[in-house]
Amino acid sequence: MDTEVLTRGERAVPASDNPLWWRSAVIYQVYVRSFADGNGDGTGDLAGVRARLGYLKDLGVDALWFNPWYPSPLADGGYDVQDYRDIDPRFGTLEEAELLIQEALALGIRTIIDVVPNHLSDQHPWFQAALVAGPGSPERERFWFHPGGGHDGDEMPTDWVSSFQGETWTRTTNSDGTPGEWYLHLFTPEQPDLNWNHPDVRREHEDILRFWFDRGVAGVRIDSAALPVKDPALPHIGDAVHAPGEHPHVDRDELHDIYRGWRAVADEYDGTRVLVGEVWLDDAERFARYLRPDEMHTAFNFDFMTQPWSAAALRGSIQRTLAEHEPVGAPATWVLSNHDVTRPVTRYGRADSAFAFARKRFGTPTDIARGTRRARAAALLTAALPGSLYIYQGDELGLPEAELPTSVIQDPMHFRSGGVDPGRDGCRVPLPWSGTRPPYGFGTAAGAETWLPQPLDWAPFAADSQQRDPGSMLSLYREALRLRRETGDLHGEDLAWLELGADVLAFRRGERTVSMTNLCPVAVPLPAHRAVLLSSGQPTDERGGMLPPDSTVWLAL
Ligand code: NOJ
């Protein structure tokens, strides 16, 4: 273990006193279940993360975002929370989480946790109490229980379609065995939606924020942040076209008051505690509303993440992003992937390199070498843009999406698609740390099998061998993050485009630093420069100052 272990109650040194840390932070996403296994049971845990803090420090990240680590039946990978104030025993204990937060802080790394307001687990005490209490009870008012339509009440109350495909209502059974009311779940039946018109729901979540801010967390990532409020009239959607803010369950205006309340809680604390929204919205102006000065600090930039490998598409997205953030004064975020989407190495190696949930299929032809070149270029491109940067665990190792046999898949998205969509487990496979065979140092050698199987050809991706190879993806990430930290030009929020050809994305940051990405099929000349700072492709100056296809270079002018 590289880090000094603190005992409970000892105070760590603050990460940095800069209250604006979040505007340009590099945030590493830890999917705990698959990061590192400290107890050899095949599932990642907090002990595994604590043992690898040195790796994260060397990588050069400013903060960690943990996917939900709470007790959960894991019907949706932990996004079905049973208790928001504890740690799942498979991952560790609350005491260990407190130590982890402090140990990371002592290394200058802040902690962001995931808060899931739209729904909870059907095993949560509130939902269990609601089932027992029956129709008309105050316990049921915290959810969306409703009688069914039709003669026998056997029709769903609305025609809303789940974000995971299929129906959004499940019928309950009364205590006498007769069919009862239905309850709403925008995701799986194990994730009943909360009723945000109920004061208990609002109070409870503000209290949960305080619980974790009191333990030193620096921020929260807000899950499905545009969904929690519903139209209480529960109208059918049919073919209706809704004006902004009038859809019955997406982006309703009432949400903003909730997040203003959360911001007020965050602002009660010393240092900046940040709110990061998972806001999937096409409408840029509606998206930016969540980032007004008294609401969230930042939100994930999915517009950029879903673009294909095309200069026009990427440039268009960068320009839209900067333009939509500017009026509200919020910094942009740059995200290449997360635990829900296809790994960049795979996505950029496909004929259709845009991302859309609906288009995921088994057996899609993929050119991994090309995808890797592009993912390297994209890593440098995003690290050069103004704003904060997210890195999903394993992208720094260049992991491809694993094509898993259907017999091991656990993700409900796979099952709810009727088995057509491979789901999201392919990007959630336990990380390879060392060695040449599974479990590649993920857990102890004698440990149990990993919760998802690791591909047999992952030896080249192991972190320890990449650490020794200056040409590896890991070395590229480390060097990029070091330069980002040490290059004053990259700290501002300015960006000036350079016109170097239709398929070249080039911009200047500050006075003297240029990032240039070549998306043409042929090499293109570099502009006049003083030095090459870093390149994702072959060393460029030795080839007469040409930038090869599918690569990014950082230049000092
Ligand atoms: C978004 C999360 O990122 C995803 O993993 C989860 O399944 C849904 N929200 C539901 O909580």
Side-chain angles (χ1 to χ4, degrees), residues 450-469:
T450 50
W451 75 276
L452 286 173
Q454 298 160 304
L456 297 175
D457 59 357
W458 269 19
F461 299 109
D464 70 340
S465 58
Q466 292 205 39
Q467 246 149 20
R468 295 188 293 268
D469 172 5

Side-chain angles (χ1 to χ4, degrees), residues 76 79 116 119 164 187 191 221 223-224 278 339-340 424 428:
D76 179 21
Y79 285 93
V116 187
H119 45 266
F164 285 170
F187 295 91
Q191 295 166 291
R221 176 263 190 193
D223 185 66
S224 302
E278 190 210 15
H339 64 293
D340 290 331
R424 301 163 295 176
R428 299 172 176 182

Side-chain angles (χ1 to χ4, degrees), residues 70-153:
Y70 317 105
S72 163
L74 302 179
D76 179 21
Y79 285 93
D80 45 323
V81 180
Q82 200 170 341
D83 178 356
Y84 291 90
R85 295 181 183 77
D86 205 350
I87 298 292
D88 191 286
R90 284 163 286 196
F91 300 155
T93 61
L94 183 57
E95 192 169 287
E96 270 182 291
E98 291 172 354
L99 290 172
L100 167 54
I101 294 165
Q102 293 295 313
E103 287 162 8
L105 212 50
L107 295 175
I109 301 175
R110 291 176 160 88
T111 296
I112 294 174
I113 58 162
D114 219 310
V115 169
V116 187
N118 181 66
H119 45 266
L120 37 68
S121 163
D122 62 349
Q123 301 305 309
H124 187 286
W126 277 14
F127 192 71
Q128 287 295 313
L131 286 180
V132 172
S137 62
E139 286 84 351
R140 287 204 172 184
E141 285 168 16
R142 292 171 175 155
F143 300 91
W144 293 100
F145 281 90
H146 206 272
H151 281 313
D152 302 322

